[in-house]
Amino acid sequence: CKKANNIFHMIRRNSPYLTVSAKLNLYKSMILPVLLYGSVCWYANVSNTRVLEAVQKRITKWIFFDEDYTVRLKRLNLLPLSLYIQLQDLVTLSKIISDDYDFCWQSMAIVKISSVETRQHNIFANVRPHKKICEQNFWFRAPRLADLLPAKIAFKKKTGLKNRLLKLFWDYFTNGYILHLSCSWK
């Protein structure tokens, strides 16, 4: 967050007369990658998510000064960072199970594709972690998230998955996301 704030202040100081689209492009290309670098590898708890959202809130206020934060996000076509991190987890898991990455993910005892889908459309076998802190691990977090997806998303079908997930996340953001209620962030 400190590095992202430094980049933001450098941009704001050195280019005072930018259009909204230029500001948005600078945010997406220079600040957002710094905020979310390696987000699959680390776990953002509620306090970390509040700090990340505060940075994004400050930057979107620079782009649109007079509006509410959620209105600014909708107008800029940006998701809250808590939802964007979950989206990245799901896309990365999809790439892993479709063998886009060159490593043997089947050796991970945590991720087992279930051969029988139940009424809840579970894709992954339910594995309980040994310790509470293990629930923050990507290999528990992402499959659990994938099992919560509705059947219409077709998680196993890789083509167009990111667009289907984006539509689902946008529907959730517009209908169920409440900024001040942290239990609605996941």
Side-chain angles (χ1 to χ4, degrees):
C1 289
K2 182 178 180 180
K3 187 182 262 190
N5 275 325
N6 288 342
I7 294 170
F8 168 59
H9 292 302
M10 185 265 310
I11 291 171
R12 195 172 63 177
R13 179 181 62 240
N14 293 330
S15 24
Y17 304 109
L18 293 174
T19 64
V20 171
S21 63
K23 290 177 183 180
L24 181 62
N25 286 337
L26 283 170
Y27 171 65
K28 285 183 176 180
S29 63
M30 295 183 71
I31 300 170
L32 194 60
V34 171
L35 282 174
L36 298 176
Y37 180 74
S39 66
V40 175
C41 300
W42 49 268
Y43 174 73
N45 58 20
V46 174
S47 62
N48 294 340
T49 305
R50 287 183 202 274
V51 173
L52 289 170
E53 290 291 342
V55 173
Q56 180 165 297
K57 189 183 288 189
R58 188 176 310 115
I59 294 168
T60 57
K61 189 180 276 189
W62 172 64
I63 297 172
F64 288 120
F65 187 72
D66 292 332
E67 298 180 14
D68 182 44
Y69 177 57
T70 54
V71 174
R72 288 192 307 258
L73 288 178
K74 289 175 186 174
R75 212 164 149 194
L76 292 171
N77 202 20
L78 292 172
L79 284 173
L81 293 178
S82 59
L83 296 180
Y84 193 74
I85 289 170
Q86 294 173 54
L87 177 70
Q88 282 188 324
D89 282 351
L90 288 170
V91 170
T92 303
L93 181 64
S94 171
K95 288 179 181 179
I96 288 171
I97 65 172
S98 64
D99 294 326
D100 283 359
Y101 298 123
D102 188 25
F103 76 96
C104 186
W105 63 269
Q106 293 87 351
S107 65
M108 301 299 293
I110 301 162
V111 178
K112 295 179 182 174
I113 295 182
S114 177
S115 59
V116 178
E117 293 185 6
T118 62
R119 289 187 332 186
Q120 290 86 13
H121 305 287
N122 291 346
I123 302 168
F124 298 97
N126 293 328
V127 179
R128 295 183 55 95
H130 298 291
K131 295 183 179 178
K132 183 76 173 161
I133 196 162
C134 291
E135 291 179 355
Q136 301 168 359
N137 187 329
F138 171 79
W139 296 105
F140 284 105
R141 187 176 71 224
R144 190 176 331 124
L145 206 60
D147 281 341
L148 293 174
L149 294 175
K152 66 179 181 178
I153 295 298
F155 187 76
K156 289 182 181 179
K157 183 182 171 192
K158 184 181 150 190
T159 308
L161 178 67
K162 188 170 184 178
N163 290 334
R164 292 191 304 273
L165 287 173
L166 270 173
K167 183 177 180 335
L168 178 74
F169 276 77
W170 270 104
D171 288 344
Y172 177 73
F173 176 56
T174 56
N175 298 324
Y177 185 86
I178 302 169
L179 180 65
H180 303 293
L181 190 59
S182 62
C183 65
S184 73
W185 296 352
K186 297 215 179 267

